Amino acid sequence: MPLDPFVHDTLGQRVILEAGGAAKHLAAEVSRLGADRVMLIAAEAESHLADRVTAGLPVALRWTEVAQHVPVELAERAREAAASAAVDLLVAVGGGSTVGLAKAIALTARVPIVAVPTTYAGSEATAVWGLTEGREKTTGTHPSVLPVTVVYDATLTVSLPVGLSVASGFNALAHCVDSMWAPGSDPINRALAVEGIRVFASGLPKVVADPAGLEGRDECLYGAYLSAVSFASAGSGLHHKICHVLGGAYRLPHAETHAIVLPHVLALNAPAVPDRGRRIAEAFGGGEPLAALERLRAAVAAPRALKDVGFDEAAVGEAAARILPGVPPSNPAPVDRRVLETLLRAAWAGDTPGGAA
């Protein structure tokens, strides 16, 4: 059977992966880019990691205020500071919130970014930016926010607690699964997504079993890149539309929310596209798609309930109404407000969708 026609855009970016090599590679990139006034963005919790990899760099401004979902007020303060310091390169050492703030600055300042991830969020490999004002999260894409270089170093993720590692990994898995049927899904990003699922299914149990080991951490960083590249071209599907509302309107923690919502969207969509569901299941190790995901969720004790991360069941109706306008028309399964309310209520309670074991 011939392939359906598609157009696929590949983002240009340098990607470096070497355990223990971040300081060396970061210094080389700063030199290659000709930067002499670096803005270092790293939250206080990552300050020790930032110190390790930026010693000797021409840091003109160090910024430590970082928040999830990048509030507009924070972005404006950071932009003003960057302009006052006349920085010519942004170096972001941290997770998705840190990289997200760098993107918010680059969006207006047109200053390049070098990202040094310490989680598996994947923001470093996309041209997607997000800002939250009040209870509304706005996202968009622009080439100026895509980091020019990503430096992956598994030793920088060893201090990430196991629980956060799992949640972050499931956030990346959600990028992969959503890419299987997002509006821009095509054979290329689906291939990347399937490989990302396979890598996380292998790597996350290793991280849980040996948190200080580098094999699982290396795999998860590789998986994070695959997940982000697939998502970057496939775009936001139903899963991400749901999580953007939950994060922006209700200030729920980003990674945990993605981890909790993932199986519920998979249960809804996979039966409508059985060939893609089969590929997802095979990447997880075989069986039915949801059961395969559930095996991994149980093995690594992934987050299960929105009630555990601060979501109020009384807000289910309001949340569904907020989500509905953003549901992609191309979503494989029909979605209306009732479907969304059922999904959100099950995710709030931590129910296993469809009774999968």
Side-chain angles (χ1 to χ4, degrees), residues 28-41:
E29 288 304 293
V30 171
S31 175
R32 182 180 73 86
L33 295 168
D36 56 16
R37 294 191 64 79
V38 172
M39 179 176 183
L40 171 60
I41 306 171

Side-chain angles (χ1 to χ4, degrees), residues 103-199:
K103 288 180 172 185
I105 299 168
L107 184 63
T108 57
R110 300 295 194 265
V111 178
I113 304 168
V114 174
V116 186
T118 61
T119 71
Y120 312 125
S123 177
E124 67 277 359
T126 80
V128 178
W129 56 267
L131 291 168
T132 302
E133 185 169 16
R135 298 180 65 195
E136 296 291 335
K137 183 170 184 178
T138 302
T139 62
T141 60
H142 196 280
S144 67
V145 309
L146 177 72
V148 296
T149 305
V150 183
V151 178
Y152 288 117
D153 181 346
T155 67
L156 302 181
T157 68
V158 169
S159 60
L160 187 66
V162 168
L164 289 178
S165 298
V166 169
S168 185
F170 267 73
N171 178 21
L173 277 171
H175 298 335
C176 295
V177 172
D178 218 24
S179 295
M180 297 299 287
W181 41 60
S185 182
D186 64 42
I188 296 173
N189 50 47
R190 288 196 292 270
L192 293 168
V194 166
E195 173 66 358
I197 294 169
R198 185 197 65 78
V199 169

